[in-house]
Amino acid sequence: MKEEMTMKNTILKKFTEVFGEKEGVKTYFAPGRVNLIGEHTDYNGGHVFPCALTIGTYGAARRRTDNKLRFYSMNFEKLGVISSSLEELEPSKEAGWTNYPKGVMWAFGEKGMQIPFGMDLMLYGNIPNGSGLSSSASVEVLTGYILRDFFGFQVSNQDLALIGQYAENNFNKVNCGIMDQFAIAMGKKEHAIFLDTADLSFEYAPIVLEGAKIVIASSNKKRGLGDSKYNERRSECETALAELQQEVQIGALGDLNEETFERYQSAIKDDVRRKRAKHAVYENQRTIRAVEALKANNVALFGQLMNDSHVSLRDDYEVTGIELDTLVEGAWKVDGVIGSRMTGAGFGGCTVSIVKDEAIDTFIEKVGSAYKEKIGYAADFYVVEVGDGPVTL
Ligand code: GLA
């Protein structure tokens, strides 16, 4: 709460400095997210189990009376004010981070909700950019939330998630699933969201980790989904699905369980594709079991399933890389670590670990120094809390 107020004042002050006015400015916050388990399942009709964080993106915005757009990010101060207009809602390299808010404004228009006036928008994020904690989805949901607040569009938070994903897919050309935007728009304090991406049915599960906390380690290896192999993995899964559909009537890889996968897997004609599909199927089942374990207060089993998830992402899905493996394998060696795995798309970004309170300092010290020694630069650690979805401050 205190941090929120400090951030609100900081961003308001900067807004006045940069845009020269304070009248009519409103402030907002949208969280980042971390996924506890269920990785690369959301575009395969499977389950995910993410939660919103208390770190995220702060925004200050003022409605204009013309169609101009002025953007400023306190995370990219060197770029200064980036100007555009509602007539220029097209993606471009030069537009940098503003492609995210612009994409959402464009998406509202595509969905039949024309934006009547422009705005001045200032952002400040306290999630590390490009770290795999969904800074971009956070900006997307924040923008949608502001547009709804300014212009009274009849959209639910779930709609904001879908509009954010639509913008990411069609404006920014990243074929992401729905997990990130959903976790952010629908976040609930001290709960994770058990979401079935096949039909968007979901339930909130309390995160009760008596005597332990969620610790995120950022590899500081930058990753952009667009230039990663994300889209490639997605299409490998689509091809594997089409091969399986020759043999068995399914709509998505998430429709199979371990047993039915083993029965039909020979329909997939390529070893690599078979491994990708295996991960998607097994990870989905693992996620279902992990949530059951958590509900039964079996945190140890939940942690074990997190570890298994990492192994599958490393060996079958091949999206980890030396940085994430070093962090996770280092974590597994520390007493008091209940579970540890990469989180998000992979290829860099972050790991998520559940660590007993008394082991947190040792964890940071040991994993941090092993990482620095092997990789050559430092990792950053964040002990995080599970927070709510977007709010007006
Ligand atoms: C990224 C995407 C999500 C999801 C994860 C992998 O975060 O945006 O939709 O696919 O990768 O689980």
Side-chain angles (χ1 to χ4, degrees), residues 66-86:
D66 56 19
N67 68 1
K68 289 208 175 87
L69 296 169
R70 290 194 297 170
F71 299 105
Y72 187 94
S73 167
M74 292 171 67
N75 299 83
F76 301 104
E77 300 223 270
K78 277 201 198 118
L79 300 177
V81 175
I82 300 178
S83 301
S84 188
S85 83
L86 290 171

Side-chain angles (χ1 to χ4, degrees), residues 33 35 38-43 48 132 134 174 176-181 223 225 230 344-346:
R33 71 93 188 90
N35 187 22
E39 217 65 84
H40 289 279
T41 48
D42 68 343
Y43 50 84
V48 292
S134 291
V174 176
C176 68
I178 188 62
M179 172 170 72
D180 304 345
Q181 291 82 3
R223 170 200 60 81
L225 278 187
Y230 185 88

Side-chain angles (χ1 to χ4, degrees), residues 92-169:
S92 75
K93 246 196 148 138
E94 302 74 62
W97 70 269
T98 69
N99 280 318
Y100 294 109
K102 279 166 113 179
V104 172
M105 293 173 190
W106 170 85
F108 267 81
E110 291 291 296
K111 306 262 173 207
M113 294 171 279
Q114 290 306 324
I115 313 288
F117 299 108
M119 68 167 81
D120 294 334
L121 177 65
M122 157 110 21
L123 296 186
Y124 177 61
N126 59 355
I127 2 177
N129 298 308
S131 66
L133 300 181
S134 291
S135 51
S136 53
S138 176
V139 170
E140 287 160 358
V141 172
L142 184 81
T143 307
Y145 187 90
I146 295 174
L147 291 172
R148 178 174 74 187
D149 190 42
F150 277 4
F151 307 118
F153 296 122
Q154 297 296 309
V155 284
S156 64
N157 274 26
Q158 186 164 321
D159 296 330
L160 293 182
L162 289 163
I163 294 170
Q165 184 201 17
Y166 185 85
E168 183 95 36
N169 292 167

